[in-house]
Amino acid sequence: MSGILDGKRILITGVLMESSIAFHAAKIAQEQGAEIILTAFPRPTLTERIAKKLPKPTKVIELDVTNEEHLGRLEDVVRAELGGLDGLLHSIGFAPQDALGGNFLNTPFESVATAMHVSAYSLKSLTMACLPLMPEEQGGSVVGMTFDAQFAWPQYDWMGPAKAALEATNRYLARDLGPRNIRCNLISAGPLGSMAAKSIPGFGELAKVWDTRSPLAWDMTDPEPAGRGVVALLSDFFPKTTGEIIHVDGGVHMMGA
């Protein structure tokens, strides 16, 4: 039986733990017929260990999305491994500790700039580094991960504006890359017990929102629904969907007070 990603070549960032959305996206992508390549930073050896739990062996390459040298060599490395790309998953976000956990009013600009660079601008940087790998006549799919930026969440602080910038960046990429038949969309997932979540002081307070507001039962230990959403957007099942944010959050995004 064929899979929805048969013949697709996908680059996936952000595989840090078996509990991460990126890991489950990679696993499902392989199960659905894709060839994948993983990127990692700052510890490729950690991703290499986690990658051994995937259904098939895959190459892991070091990639710091704020490093122009790393971005510059990405095309050659991926072309040598896969020949080209049909899609990519941007699952990257970071803010210094002083930009999180209730410190919004006191965060220095240097920390804000780091959060914006890594969490938002890198979507454009990574996409442009991969653009030559996506033939213009064929196009491709760019998928990123957000956390609904229309609200001010407890403890999330400057990652909120960074995600808002990410969402805006996605729309502008969708506008400018549409003529090349490249779709750009985001998955907005509910809170999960990932490494990124654990880096947010007071994350439990934020997660409690889902206990009372989610119409569908939300399991913080299950990243697979979000991983399935990623794979669906990487497939050809949404050929005319771009600039969109797909919510995989149990329905919290549409609930009133």
Side-chain angles (χ1 to χ4, degrees), residues 75-161:
E75 178 187 351
D76 289 342
V77 174
V78 174
R79 195 177 297 281
E81 186 71 16
L82 298 181
L85 283 177
D86 301 289
L88 67 91
L89 170 62
H90 176 282
S91 184
I92 299 169
F94 172 77
Q97 285 295 298
D98 63 355
L100 301 164
N103 197 47
F104 185 85
L105 297 179
N106 300 310
T107 304
F109 177 72
E110 290 78 11
S111 296
V112 174
T114 296
M116 292 290 177
H117 192 174
V118 178
S119 307
Y121 184 79
S122 66
L123 178 64
K124 192 278 291 189
S125 300
L126 179 63
T127 300
M128 294 306 293
C130 292
L131 193 61
L133 295 160
M134 299 182 185
E136 190 166 349
E137 66 279 4
Q138 178 181 320
S141 176
V142 175
V143 180
M145 301 301 306
T146 190
F147 189 77
D148 205 329
Q150 62 182 318
F151 301 109
W153 297 104
Q155 310 298 327
Y156 208 48
D157 291 355
W158 281 100
M159 276 302 292

